[in-house]
Amino acid sequence: IIEDNEELRHFICGVLAREYVVLEAGNGCQGLEMTLRELPDIVISDIMMPEMDGIEYLKRVKGNNDICHIPIILLSAKSSLNDQIQGLEYGADDYISKPFNILEVKARIRAIIRRSMKAKRQKKEEQANTYIGSGDLKMDTEGRRVFIGEKEINLTAKEFDLLELLVRNPNKVYSREALLNY
């Protein structure tokens, strides 16, 4: 939680600490240092703060390849549609206007964490699916390379596609026509 209003920050932290490990910072500079050090799962940041405002914080996080994946919810008294659009266009994952309902904040956090975890699972599955094989045969489907043991085998694009089909579908019989049309 990055919020310069100490009373509000303590309230949000107190509520969220029942379900999450919560870290807190009083301004954007402290928040950026904390984000780089702790790599949180999600950040809730005020916009209007001393030293570094929430928009500048957002730009720096989203511009840093090591932390740009961290979801950020902007929490602000600036409630105009233009302010919300600006925050979202700079990379915020959500925007909540003050005054807010803490139950809505908690629901939005859960929604973002669900999406974030789903994306992480999909990325792991995609990485796991880049290599397939059977026995000594190993295929790098992303690099479109085939190995038998340690030796690389050169295949045409069509040969690679057919081999991948067969490796991904063991014990399935294809007609000659189906393979020619694949």
Side-chain angles (χ1 to χ4, degrees):
I1 307 296
I2 307 170
E3 169 64 61
D4 63 323
N5 180 321
E6 190 174 342
E7 188 176 319
L8 179 58
R9 185 175 71 241
H10 289 311
F11 167 72
I12 296 170
C13 289
V15 171
L16 296 179
R18 296 176 194 147
E19 298 176 48
Y20 307 100
V21 174
V22 180
L23 305 171
E24 56 182 285
N27 63 55
C29 289
Q30 292 172 356
L32 185 59
E33 289 173 15
M34 179 184 67
T35 303
L36 288 165
R37 185 180 61 250
E38 301 295 334
L39 301 174
D41 292 326
I42 191 168
V43 172
I44 298 174
S45 176
D46 186 16
I47 291 182
M48 296 183 291
M49 296 182 290
E51 295 186 46
M52 179 191 301
D53 70 15
I55 296 296
E56 183 60 29
Y57 165 83
L58 179 65
K59 288 178 185 177
R60 290 192 186 189
V61 169
K62 296 302 180 179
N64 182 323
N65 286 338
D66 294 332
I67 56 175
C68 65
H69 66 281
I70 297 172
I72 299 173
I73 297 174
L74 291 178
L75 189 65
S76 180
K78 298 175 97 178
S79 60
S80 78
L81 186 57
N82 286 338
D83 291 324
Q84 293 176 21
I85 290 169
Q86 179 187 28
L88 294 169
E89 286 185 348
Y90 280 122
D93 294 88
D94 205 345
Y95 192 107
I96 301 173
S97 298
K98 295 177 186 174
F100 56 85
N101 180 313
I102 194 66
L103 297 176
E104 178 186 3
V105 173
K106 289 171 66 174
R108 289 176 184 255
I109 290 169
R110 283 191 299 271
I112 288 174
I113 288 175
R114 269 194 316 271
R115 285 193 302 269
S116 178
M117 293 304 167
K118 183 177 179 183
K120 286 179 185 177
R121 278 194 309 274
Q122 286 176 337
K123 188 172 183 176
K124 281 184 180 179
E125 287 171 7
E126 286 171 8
Q127 288 174 343
N129 289 336
T130 60
Y131 284 95
I132 60 174
S134 177
D136 286 343
L137 175 71
K138 185 168 77 171
M139 298 181 73
D140 173 4
T141 57
E142 192 171 303
R144 296 187 61 84
R145 298 170 62 192
V146 176
F147 299 88
I148 296 181
E150 298 297 317
K151 184 178 180 196
E152 184 172 356
I153 308 298
N154 293 318
L155 298 177
T156 65
K158 185 68 170 180
E159 290 169 338
F160 184 90
D161 291 340
L162 287 171
L163 183 58
E164 182 179 8
L165 172 71
L166 296 171
V167 170
R168 287 191 186 273
N169 301 286
N171 303 320
K172 187 169 182 185
V173 178
Y174 293 93
S175 68
R176 180 180 185 276
E177 187 175 312
L179 291 175
L180 289 173
N181 291 330
Y182 182 73

